[in-house]
Amino acid sequence: MKVTRFAPSPSGRLHLGHAFSAALGHAHARASGGFFLLRIEDLDPGRCRPEFVNGIFEDLAWLGLAHDGAPIVQSHRTDLYAAALERLKADDLVYPCFCTRADIAQSLTAPHGDAGSGYPGTCRGLPDDPARRENTPHSWRLDAGKAIARAGLPRWTEEDGSGFESRRDDIGDAILARKDAPSSYHLACVVDDADTGVTLVVRGEDLRPSTPTQRLLQLLLGLPEPTYLHHPLVTHDDGRRLAKRDLAPTLGAMRAAGADGPLLAADLIEGRLPLGFRLSRA
Ligand code: GLU
């Protein structure tokens, strides 16, 4: 029995790529007599809008992809993420970071910046300064070096049985909580996948780079290990990614044009795409 989830961010209307991901997750759950969960990833206050949450419900209903149980709404669950962060703090695996985006951009272009990890490590190893933490907005970062020393480099298994090993360079000092958002995508994702009993994570290949960090967090927090299915992405025929500004492939536009939602969902899982689109490996 598989428990899958579809976890869109309500920062725009769903498009064909979302429909493919949701249809695939739904099919795996139903074929195994399991559950298909819907999770609204609305932790980024700058990008998420309530009207897009309604759009998600409407689009899934139109596709005929019923989810089990109530939707899981991340902005209602921040206590869980805070508790996980406290545990990582107690284990000395995270550190406060006071850098602004501009600081980071500047040090990455500096000659000694560690461009590979995306963060030069400026605040790693600073002596703890509770007064500064009290008075200065800051985020919390994973100390990837310490974490890997503790848990080892994580591995994961894909649904087809293939095994993957992460390399040191795959994991940086990821932000786990921000001043304006109580949890980052990575932390909320692993906490929720575990808390809701997800056994198969179905998502696009574009999210594969997140998997090493998320597997590492699962090891550090003692969470169960799901299997992963990173699927090809829906692109335009010429290989271009679907962008938020493309209106044609939104499900709302297809519905308005009279398309049949359940037929579209069934076609997508068979790999039959509407004219002008195809599945592409990243
Ligand atoms: N919220 C993410 C997105 O919309 C998906 C997260 C996931 O499936 O792990 O891209």
Side-chain angles (χ1 to χ4, degrees), residues 5-11 14 18 21 39-42 47 74 185 189 193 201-204 206-207 210 214 228 230 244:
R5 83 309 195 268
F6 175 54
S9 305
S11 56
L14 298 188
H18 294 108
S21 204
R39 183 163 85 220
I40 306 293
E41 299 212 328
D42 60 345
R47 293 173 56 233
Q74 288 193 323
Y185 158 60
C189 180
D193 283 341
V201 172
V202 177
R203 60 187 178 193
D206 54 336
L207 286 165
S210 300
Q214 294 183 3
Y228 290 84
H230 292 103
K244 283 251 151 78

Short mmCIF file of all heavy atoms in Angstrom, two decimals, residues 5-11 14 18 21 39-42 47 74 185 189 193 201-204 206-207 210 214 228 230 244, ligand 1:
data_model
loop_
_atom_site.label_atom_id
_atom_site.label_comp_id
_atom_site.label_asym_id
_atom_site.label_seq_id
_atom_site.Cartn_x
_atom_site.Cartn_y
_atom_site.Cartn_z
N ARG A 5 1.62 11.91 -2.18
CA ARG A 5 1.06 13.25 -1.94
C ARG A 5 1.35 14.13 -3.15
O ARG A 5 2.34 13.97 -3.85
CB ARG A 5 1.59 13.85 -0.64
CG ARG A 5 2.93 14.56 -0.61
CD ARG A 5 4.08 13.85 -1.19
NE ARG A 5 5.38 14.39 -0.85
CZ ARG A 5 6.05 15.30 -1.57
NH1 ARG A 5 5.57 15.77 -2.67
NH2 ARG A 5 7.24 15.72 -1.18
N PHE A 6 0.44 15.08 -3.36
CA PHE A 6 0.66 16.13 -4.34
C PHE A 6 0.82 17.39 -3.51
O PHE A 6 -0.02 17.67 -2.65
CB PHE A 6 -0.54 16.20 -5.28
CG PHE A 6 -0.48 17.33 -6.27
CD1 PHE A 6 0.63 17.50 -7.10
CD2 PHE A 6 -1.54 18.22 -6.40
CE1 PHE A 6 0.68 18.53 -8.02
CE2 PHE A 6 -1.49 19.26 -7.32
CZ PHE A 6 -0.38 19.41 -8.13
N ALA A 7 1.92 18.12 -3.72
CA ALA A 7 2.26 19.20 -2.78
C ALA A 7 2.54 20.52 -3.49
O ALA A 7 3.65 21.04 -3.45
CB ALA A 7 3.49 18.77 -1.97
N PRO A 8 1.53 21.08 -4.15
CA PRO A 8 1.77 22.33 -4.89
C PRO A 8 1.91 23.54 -3.97
O PRO A 8 1.39 23.55 -2.86
CB PRO A 8 0.51 22.46 -5.75
CG PRO A 8 -0.55 21.79 -4.96
CD PRO A 8 0.12 20.66 -4.24
N SER A 9 2.62 24.54 -4.47
CA SER A 9 2.68 25.84 -3.78
C SER A 9 1.64 26.73 -4.44
O SER A 9 1.63 26.84 -5.67
CB SER A 9 4.05 26.47 -3.97
OG SER A 9 5.04 25.58 -3.55
N PRO A 10 0.79 27.39 -3.66
CA PRO A 10 -0.24 28.24 -4.27
C PRO A 10 0.32 29.59 -4.68
O PRO A 10 -0.09 30.63 -4.21
CB PRO A 10 -1.28 28.36 -3.16
CG PRO A 10 -0.51 28.17 -1.89
CD PRO A 10 0.67 27.29 -2.21
N SER A 11 1.27 29.56 -5.62
CA SER A 11 1.90 30.80 -6.06
C SER A 11 1.57 31.07 -7.52
O SER A 11 2.17 31.92 -8.15
CB SER A 11 3.41 30.73 -5.86
OG SER A 11 3.93 29.60 -6.53
N LEU A 14 -2.25 26.06 -11.54
CA LEU A 14 -1.64 24.78 -11.91
C LEU A 14 -1.59 24.65 -13.43
O LEU A 14 -2.47 25.13 -14.13
CB LEU A 14 -2.45 23.61 -11.34
CG LEU A 14 -2.57 23.51 -9.82
CD1 LEU A 14 -3.22 22.18 -9.44
CD2 LEU A 14 -1.22 23.64 -9.12
N HIS A 18 1.85 20.08 -13.38
CA HIS A 18 1.24 19.72 -12.10
C HIS A 18 0.25 18.58 -12.30
O HIS A 18 0.14 17.67 -11.49
CB HIS A 18 0.49 20.91 -11.49
CG HIS A 18 1.38 22.05 -11.09
ND1 HIS A 18 1.41 23.23 -11.77
CD2 HIS A 18 2.24 22.19 -10.05
CE1 HIS A 18 2.25 24.05 -11.19
NE2 HIS A 18 2.77 23.45 -10.14
N SER A 21 2.01 15.30 -12.54
CA SER A 21 2.52 14.86 -11.23
C SER A 21 1.38 14.34 -10.34
O SER A 21 1.50 13.28 -9.71
CB SER A 21 3.21 16.06 -10.56
OG SER A 21 4.14 15.62 -9.63
N ARG A 39 -1.30 18.36 -0.20
CA ARG A 39 -0.62 19.26 0.75
C ARG A 39 -0.40 20.62 0.09
O ARG A 39 0.17 20.70 -0.99
CB ARG A 39 0.72 18.65 1.14
CG ARG A 39 1.43 19.46 2.18
CD ARG A 39 2.51 18.64 2.83
NE ARG A 39 3.75 18.63 2.09
CZ ARG A 39 4.54 17.57 1.94
NH1 ARG A 39 4.20 16.39 2.43
NH2 ARG A 39 5.67 17.65 1.29
N ILE A 40 -0.86 21.64 0.77
CA ILE A 40 -0.73 23.01 0.26
C ILE A 40 0.54 23.61 0.88
O ILE A 40 0.60 23.84 2.08
CB ILE A 40 -1.96 23.86 0.63
CG1 ILE A 40 -3.28 23.19 0.18
CG2 ILE A 40 -1.84 25.28 0.08
CD1 ILE A 40 -3.45 23.09 -1.31
N GLU A 41 1.53 23.86 0.05
CA GLU A 41 2.82 24.36 0.55
C GLU A 41 2.83 25.88 0.49
O GLU A 41 3.36 26.49 -0.45
CB GLU A 41 3.96 23.72 -0.25
CG GLU A 41 3.95 22.20 -0.10
CD GLU A 41 5.32 21.54 -0.16
OE1 GLU A 41 6.20 22.04 -0.88
OE2 GLU A 41 5.49 20.51 0.52
N ASP A 42 2.23 26.48 1.51
CA ASP A 42 1.97 27.93 1.50
C ASP A 42 2.80 28.67 2.53
O ASP A 42 2.31 29.59 3.19
CB ASP A 42 0.47 28.18 1.74
CG ASP A 42 0.00 27.64 3.09
OD1 ASP A 42 0.74 26.84 3.70
OD2 ASP A 42 -1.10 28.01 3.53
N ARG A 47 4.83 34.92 -1.82
CA ARG A 47 4.46 34.36 -3.13
C ARG A 47 3.09 33.68 -3.14
O ARG A 47 2.52 33.48 -4.20
CB ARG A 47 5.53 33.35 -3.58
CG ARG A 47 6.87 34.01 -3.86
CD ARG A 47 7.96 32.99 -4.15
NE ARG A 47 7.60 32.11 -5.23
CZ ARG A 47 7.62 30.77 -5.16
NH1 ARG A 47 8.00 30.17 -4.06
NH2 ARG A 47 7.29 30.04 -6.19
N GLN A 74 0.29 23.77 5.14
CA GLN A 74 1.53 23.96 5.91
C GLN A 74 1.49 25.16 6.84
O GLN A 74 2.03 25.11 7.94
CB GLN A 74 2.72 24.04 4.95
CG GLN A 74 3.03 22.69 4.34
CD GLN A 74 4.36 22.62 3.64
OE1 GLN A 74 4.79 23.59 3.01
NE2 GLN A 74 5.03 21.48 3.74
N TYR A 185 11.15 25.11 2.80
CA TYR A 185 10.58 23.98 2.06
C TYR A 185 11.16 22.65 2.56
O TYR A 185 10.41 21.71 2.84
CB TYR A 185 10.85 24.20 0.56
CG TYR A 185 10.80 22.95 -0.26
CD1 TYR A 185 9.63 22.18 -0.32
CD2 TYR A 185 11.91 22.50 -0.96
CE1 TYR A 185 9.58 21.02 -1.07
CE2 TYR A 185 11.87 21.35 -1.70
CZ TYR A 185 10.70 20.60 -1.75
OH TYR A 185 10.67 19.45 -2.47
N CYS A 189 8.83 19.90 4.36
CA CYS A 189 8.57 18.74 3.50
C CYS A 189 8.87 17.43 4.24
O CYS A 189 8.05 16.51 4.25
CB CYS A 189 9.42 18.89 2.23
SG CYS A 189 9.21 17.56 1.06
N ASP A 193 5.99 14.85 5.29
CA ASP A 193 5.98 13.52 4.67
C ASP A 193 5.95 12.45 5.76
O ASP A 193 5.20 11.47 5.67
CB ASP A 193 7.20 13.32 3.75
CG ASP A 193 7.04 14.05 2.41
OD1 ASP A 193 5.90 14.39 2.04
OD2 ASP A 193 8.06 14.29 1.73
N VAL A 201 7.29 9.47 -2.55
CA VAL A 201 7.32 10.89 -2.91
C VAL A 201 7.37 10.99 -4.44
O VAL A 201 8.38 10.64 -5.04
CB VAL A 201 8.54 11.59 -2.27
CG1 VAL A 201 8.69 13.01 -2.80
CG2 VAL A 201 8.43 11.58 -0.75
N VAL A 202 6.26 11.42 -5.03
CA VAL A 202 6.18 11.57 -6.49
C VAL A 202 6.35 13.04 -6.80
O VAL A 202 5.55 13.87 -6.34
CB VAL A 202 4.81 11.07 -7.01
CG1 VAL A 202 4.69 11.30 -8.50
CG2 VAL A 202 4.60 9.60 -6.66
N ARG A 203 7.36 13.40 -7.56
CA ARG A 203 7.55 14.82 -7.91
C ARG A 203 8.47 14.91 -9.12
O ARG A 203 9.12 13.92 -9.50
CB ARG A 203 8.12 15.60 -6.72
CG ARG A 203 9.45 15.10 -6.23
CD ARG A 203 9.85 15.83 -4.95
NE ARG A 203 11.12 15.35 -4.41
CZ ARG A 203 11.56 15.63 -3.20
NH1 ARG A 203 10.82 16.37 -2.38
NH2 ARG A 203 12.72 15.18 -2.79
N GLY A 204 8.55 16.10 -9.69
CA GLY A 204 9.30 16.29 -10.92
C GLY A 204 10.81 16.17 -10.70
O GLY A 204 11.31 16.38 -9.60
N ASP A 206 12.93 18.15 -11.55
CA ASP A 206 13.54 19.43 -11.16
C ASP A 206 13.75 19.49 -9.66
O ASP A 206 14.53 20.30 -9.18
CB ASP A 206 12.68 20.61 -11.65
CG ASP A 206 11.23 20.52 -11.21
OD1 ASP A 206 10.73 19.40 -10.92
OD2 ASP A 206 10.57 21.57 -11.11
N LEU A 207 13.06 18.63 -8.89
CA LEU A 207 13.23 18.65 -7.43
C LEU A 207 14.24 17.61 -6.95
O LEU A 207 14.51 17.52 -5.75
CB LEU A 207 11.88 18.47 -6.73
CG LEU A 207 11.00 19.73 -6.83
CD1 LEU A 207 9.57 19.43 -6.47
CD2 LEU A 207 11.54 20.83 -5.93
N SER A 210 16.89 18.44 -4.41
CA SER A 210 16.48 18.61 -3.01
C SER A 210 16.59 17.30 -2.22
O SER A 210 16.58 17.33 -0.99
CB SER A 210 15.00 19.01 -2.93
OG SER A 210 14.79 20.20 -3.58
N GLN A 214 17.04 16.51 1.88
CA GLN A 214 15.86 16.02 2.61
C GLN A 214 16.11 14.65 3.22
O GLN A 214 15.68 14.38 4.35
CB GLN A 214 14.64 16.01 1.67
CG GLN A 214 14.29 17.45 1.28
CD GLN A 214 13.05 17.57 0.42
OE1 GLN A 214 12.38 16.59 0.12
NE2 GLN A 214 12.77 18.79 0.00
N TYR A 228 11.26 7.30 -3.69
CA TYR A 228 11.06 8.50 -4.51
C TYR A 228 10.74 8.13 -5.95
O TYR A 228 11.21 7.12 -6.45
CB TYR A 228 12.33 9.37 -4.48
CG TYR A 228 12.53 10.01 -3.13
CD1 TYR A 228 13.16 9.31 -2.09
CD2 TYR A 228 12.04 11.27 -2.86
CE1 TYR A 228 13.30 9.87 -0.83
CE2 TYR A 228 12.18 11.85 -1.60
CZ TYR A 228 12.81 11.14 -0.60
OH TYR A 228 12.95 11.70 0.64
N HIS A 230 11.02 10.48 -9.15
CA HIS A 230 11.27 11.78 -9.79
C HIS A 230 10.92 11.60 -11.27
O HIS A 230 11.61 10.87 -11.98
CB HIS A 230 12.72 12.19 -9.61
CG HIS A 230 13.07 12.51 -8.18
ND1 HIS A 230 13.78 11.67 -7.36
CD2 HIS A 230 12.77 13.60 -7.42
CE1 HIS A 230 13.91 12.23 -6.15
NE2 HIS A 230 13.30 13.40 -6.17
N LYS A 244 5.62 30.19 -15.47
CA LYS A 244 4.40 30.72 -14.83
C LYS A 244 3.64 31.64 -15.76
O LYS A 244 2.42 31.71 -15.74
CB LYS A 244 4.78 31.49 -13.55
CG LYS A 244 5.11 30.57 -12.39
CD LYS A 244 4.02 30.60 -11.30
CE LYS A 244 3.92 29.29 -10.53
NZ LYS A 244 4.93 29.08 -9.51
N1 GLU B 1 5.84 22.66 -3.44
C1 GLU B 1 6.78 22.13 -4.39
C2 GLU B 1 6.47 22.69 -5.76
O1 GLU B 1 5.36 23.11 -6.00
C3 GLU B 1 6.75 20.62 -4.49
C4 GLU B 1 7.37 19.98 -3.35
C5 GLU B 1 7.53 18.46 -3.41
O2 GLU B 1 6.80 17.78 -4.14
O3 GLU B 1 8.39 17.99 -2.69
O4 GLU B 1 7.34 22.71 -6.60
#
